[in-house]
Amino acid sequence: MGGGQINRAELAGMLGDQTTACEAAREALLAGGDFVVWDGRVPSQQLASIYAARLRRASRRGAETLALPSTVDILTRLEADQVRIGCIFSPDRTWAFMLFLAGDADAVLACTGVRRAER
């Protein structure tokens, strides 16, 4: 799984301190985890409501997440911006980190992580 127009090093360089999940996402990426940045853009407000619902469900279920509340806050504050979405998986696939990038994919705006349920 590749990152389309974005390579691993570029993406790692964009993961700063936007949220507390960025460091873990960068470590997963640099350890060889799969990643993808999807084509197309989604309105940030649509994503804010989707991830607010996910936050409520995760809280009810006791699911382990990283930076989900701060990611919802960031998406909510973006107003009408169009956002690209990406994902980084930890090499052992126990974590998935959702990335929200600027419309031109030149900056990571927010990042959240969720521990994947055992199957």
Side-chain angles (χ1 to χ4, degrees):
M1 200 175 344
Q5 300 300 315
I6 298 174
N7 71 39
R8 189 176 297 273
E10 287 173 327
L11 188 54
M14 286 188 236
L15 287 160
D17 59 0
Q18 295 91 335
T19 69
T20 55
C22 288
E23 183 177 350
R26 184 174 48 253
E27 288 172 6
L29 186 64
L30 294 176
D34 289 333
F35 74 101
V36 62
V37 175
W38 289 284
D39 291 331
R41 292 162 183 79
V42 181
S44 60
Q45 293 307 295
Q46 184 179 340
L47 291 169
S49 54
I50 290 167
Y51 280 83
R54 288 186 181 178
L55 174 59
R56 289 189 298 273
R57 279 196 308 273
S59 297
R60 275 198 310 270
R61 289 192 196 133
E64 194 174 349
T65 64
L66 288 174
L68 188 49
S70 54
T71 294
V72 171
D73 288 345
I74 290 167
L75 291 171
T76 301
R77 288 195 311 265
L78 287 175
E79 294 175 3
D81 286 356
Q82 297 285 310
V83 177
R84 299 251 324 251
I85 304 171
C87 187
I88 298 169
F89 295 98
S90 61
D92 64 3
R93 302 290 246 183
T94 56
W95 282 87
F97 298 96
M98 293 303 298
L99 308 176
F100 303 93
L101 298 98
D104 55 7
D106 70 347
V108 171
L109 305 171
C111 173
T112 184
V114 63
R115 182 180 288 277
R116 296 167 55 124
E118 300 292 326
R119 296 199 189 282

